[in-house]
Amino acid sequence: MLWRLLRFLRPQRGLAVAALALSFLSLTSQVALLGTSAYLISRAALRPPTLLLLMVPIVGVQLFSIARSSLRYLERYTSHDVTFRLLSNLRVFFFARIERLPPEAIGRFHSGDLLSRAVHDVESLQDLYLRAIAPPVVLALVAVLVWSVISPLAPPVGHALAIALLLTLVPAALELRIGRRLGEAVAAERAQLSAAIADGVRGAEELVAYRCVDAYAARLQATQSRLLRAQRRLRRSAALTTALIGLLGDLAVVLALALAIPLLRQGRLPGWDLAVLGLVALGSFEAAQPLPEALQSLSRCLAAGRRILAVADEAPDIEQEEEGRTPEGSRIEFDGVEVRYSGSAAPALRDIDLNLAPGRHVGLVGASGAGKTSLLAALSGFAPCGAGTLHLGGVPLREVAREKLWSEMALIGQDTTLFNASLRENILLGRPEAALDDVLAAVRSAGLEPLVASLPDGLETRIGEQGARLSGGERQRVAIARALLKDAPILLADEPTEGLDAITAAAVLRELLRLAQGRTLLLATHHLLGLEEMDEVVVLSGGRIVERGRHDELRRTGGPYARLLSLQLDRLSSA
Amino acid sequence: MHRRILREAASGRLLLAATVLLGAGGALAIIAQALLLAEIVARAFLGGAALAALARPLLLLAGVALLRAALAFLRREAADAFSAKVRGEIRNRLLARILALGPVATSGERTGELVATALDGVEGLDPYLAHYLPQMALAAIVPLALLAVVTAENLLAGALLLLTAGLLPYFMSLLGRAAERSAARQWRTLQLLSAHFLDVVRGLPTLQLFGRSRRQVEIIRQVSERHRSATLDTLKIAFLSSFALELIASLSTALVAVEISFGLLSGTLPFQSALAILILVPEFYLPLRSLGSDFHAGVAGVAAAERTFALLDEPRPPRGPGTRRLPDRSPLEVRLCSVGYTYPGADRPALDGLDLVWRSGEVLAVVGASGAGKTTILRLVLRLLEPQAGEVLVDGTPLREMDLDWWRRQIAYVPQAPQLFAGTIRENIQLGRMDASPEDVEAAARAARAHDFICARPEGYDALVEEGGRGLSGGERQRIALARALATRAPLLLLDEPTARLDAEADDALSAAIAGAASGRRALIVAHRLSTAERADRIAVLRDGRIADIGTPEQLRQGSAVYANLRRAYFPLREVD
């Protein structure tokens, strides 16, 4: 797993090695600064006959002190550079992979919001180098250096220090295991508190009306106390680890002195080296400080990596030649189609037979969950078709080249995805090579002119994250404008008037019907809006077609459609 | 802002003091460690002492190491305890505040924001409380203690430390300001660039439908590259301040080393003192360096916590200290006189000079287009909102003079989107009357047509309700809320019929339940269904915040154009054309 993740560093391996080397060298300079200083004062204490003897260590301390901070600066800069390059590699890899996912898988990931989580995971993997891998490697290098420098002088001291340095990995590893368990407990308590607060906020009116505010506040307090306790347990284990690592370093200094003093007495170690050993021991343990955090980052990175690769691995590894077929015309044929999402027992759609000649307008109605959206998703390839066959232009859908399939249809969905770019760019998505005149025509036809006039920079106004500046009706109109530009023969409209007030809904619907002239239209709605204009109404219930016919006929027969209608008629027109 | 946090943290000051004391103790341990180490080395090196002779200081040194570790651990414990206590108190007050904000503040999309503020906003204070605040005190105390020790050993070394330490804040602020300016410039670009990837991944299906997804790979590469170079430009300067700190610290270590070696040469400074100074010099700068890094984390958290304090400071809705109660079996006629109400931030009033009488004993239905102010009437009667103009009278007594607790006990309320709370179904029904007996609960559930589906569950009334009532259908939630209202046995029923479409069966069941609950009761119903409205004794038609028409269903059917408009079948397409 780690190796697979490390592969992403490969294009930057030169830079990564440089950053590691800089980190190691800056730590070494720190240790050398302390060691040389100790050597300097030890030699000075012996009152040498000439100052010249001290010149080398004097120059040495100056040099090391400047080297220490300069190398550290360079190391920070380089390692952040590596981090951002790694992030860029990860993003490109991940997107290139999910872009090749089967559409059915994209539909699945998209609906579960797995994509947003994967984005979060990709971003968190940027810690892989800086926080997770570099510190243990540097620690090991420092241990090797300390061993190879000190062992020739005082073998037992060298061995002991190297072992003690490596031993700091033990509490860090223990903390990793314990911390994970405690971290999960914190997450669980947090989720509970979050849910309880959300309940309380949404239900504030009832809590006030039923005089339960104080009781509920007490309940929230109790929930919060549990969270705080769990958090403190987690912190305690981290604090203990840090203290243990510090203790290990301090005891190593005691041990180094205890081992060195007899050598001194036996004349096997020059006296001035004792202070050097002590300070080198003290300084080298600085390498162990980032260790607990590093191991935690590593485990986070591995978990994130596993999730990302699980998504990415569903895509074909190598770019396949698009060898799909081209549909002839845009006739749509459902023949006994079944749609079953993984993880749900009942199929979302079954036994669907529909044969739609080009240009036909069909309304899909039914309660939410009846299968309207699944039917549209099956047609656009985003839903997994189990049994049955689905043909587009005489070609089985699964054999149609994806680009060809999607160029045949325009989707006007419940929630139009808007990108954080200008309004013009968002509309241009329909046909990027379209001329400005075409865009303006689309804006006019979709009824977007009042919006454009109200925006500070007109068409060039950025519409913000997720199109936050636009109302529901405006977003649907952008979708219509895109569809207008795209000029596809099949229009799929999924509740295009959901959440709009009656007048806006009617206006949007009118634009849609105008756009649909001469094209195939599948209009899913549970408001039964605009159905009298359709060539045929298909009533879905529990994933099956339970009734079909023209609006007027179905209204008279008194079946499921008439029932839906009577409920609709009972509504006061306040929606 | 900092002063504000300090005020909030006042209750934890003992723990904060303990943290600082333990930190100062840690500094003393470091001094002891340095002195012991210097003594051991000096005696072995210059005095030729044997290991056995040094056993005592060596053991002491090990003891100091243990003490230092213990102090470090306890210091973090105390800091965490302090932070947890303060955060806990702030959050408790915030939660109480949020619950009391009432329907205006907590409606709709603010839920997510409020939850985030109460959770993450308060959590964001942690680095400030646990690290920055104690570190600020320690950064003042510890260097001073070390300075005193070093100066006592060697005056010149102390002077060197004092001089460099004096330079530090100057450099820091100089670099800090430059970094801040550059960071502010870069910030917007960075935000845009880093949001891009999420934007594109979320929109993948849309991009694919328009055949635009493949070329995004190259765009992502370019944007990431721009992000990288922009960030590095910022960091180049931001890192300078830590560079300066470290340079000063290590340069002065070198200077002190040279200085004390001259002292040693001239014989004015004993070796033991020299070594102790050498060990202590890096420790002198350490608290300042940690303060630098804690500062950034602390400031980020404080910025995030601003929302928290803004919420805490929002004015409480004024509540008159009403005490009046009406005698039992009072008619409880509710009269709204020229009532006006505009929601904060709304561009037009919800109610504008509304006059309405809800007579004793009648079922009154309020109908009207959405946004006409129907729900606001219920909120005024419940006194969840105060009228900004006019007055609400109950049997001639102004509502604001009445004992609010008593008044609300006269009312059972079913809002349009009722909330179920975590707990059992029974507890949810008992919300309005905690002492309702199992028989009362069951009777209420039967009346609300909820008994059958409750009993269909293996645990029946003791089945647990998940967060927000998931696991129950919309219609089931509505009927439990209706049972909750009926269980209170309050004489007045306020009911906001749901506009959201349920499936056909649930719709029918709920309608029947509402009809059953309203018959033979005093009820004020905001109706969204024609059949519900027509069963009422009288219908009030609301338009633009006023009563446009009022009368029995019979009267309105015959003589009201406004009502006819509302009744019109829901096929606006042909009519608008």
Side-chain angles (χ1 to χ4, degrees), chain A residues 76 81 205 219 486 570, chain B residues 209 213 228 242 379 422 530:
Chain A
R76 279 203 184 133
D81 197 1
E205 231 179 19
R219 191 160 148 185
K486 185 169 179 182
D570 190 24
Chain B
L209 275 171
S213 53
R228 181 184 70 86
S242 46
R379 290 175 174 166
L530 196 60

Side-chain angles (χ1 to χ4, degrees), chain B residues 340-343 346-352 371-372 544-545:
Chain B
Y341 190 86
T342 309
Y343 286 94
D347 50 1
R348 59 191 184 85
L351 295 179
D352 189 10
D544 300 332

Side-chain angles (χ1 to χ4, degrees), chain A residues 512-534:
Chain A
L512 182 67
L513 290 175
R514 188 149 65 211
L515 170 61
Q517 277 166 26
R519 302 172 213 268
T520 307
L521 170 66
L522 277 153
L523 170 66
T525 170
H526 66 215
H527 281 312
L528 314 188
L529 203 52
L531 292 176
E532 62 279 22
E533 308 286 337
M534 298 289 117

Side-chain angles (χ1 to χ4, degrees), chain A residues 487-498:
Chain A
D487 199 19
I490 300 172
L491 286 181
L492 308 180
D494 191 4
E495 310 277 6
T497 58
E498 179 71 17

Side-chain angles (χ1 to χ4, degrees), chain A residues 65 73 76 81 99 110 199 205-206 210-211 219 221 224 231 235-236 265 420 432 486 568 570, chain B residues 48 88 91 123 126 199 202 209 212-213 228 236 242 250 379 405 413 419 422 529-531:
Chain A
S65 74
Y73 179 81
R76 279 203 184 133
D81 197 1
E99 199 274 327
H110 187 71
D199 271 3
E205 231 179 19
E206 283 144 292
Y210 289 122
R211 309 172 313 281
R219 191 160 148 185
Q221 282 185 17
Q224 154 163 263
Q231 277 176 334
R235 304 271 175 88
R236 189 170 298 139
R265 294 269 291 177
N420 192 356
K486 185 169 179 182
Q568 192 63 58
D570 190 24
Chain B
R91 191 180 281 133
E123 217 50 27
D126 185 44
D199 206 30
R202 268 198 204 138
L209 275 171
R212 294 288 113 191
S213 53
R228 181 184 70 86
K236 216 184 284 177
S242 46
S250 58
R379 290 175 174 166
D405 205 53
Y413 178 44
Q419 179 68 30
R529 296 183 56 146
L530 196 60
S531 48

Side-chain angles (χ1 to χ4, degrees), chain B residues 307-318:
Chain B
R307 188 75 203 101
T308 307
F309 293 119
L311 256 176
L312 275 177
D313 293 342
E314 247 174 62
R316 258 170 206 282

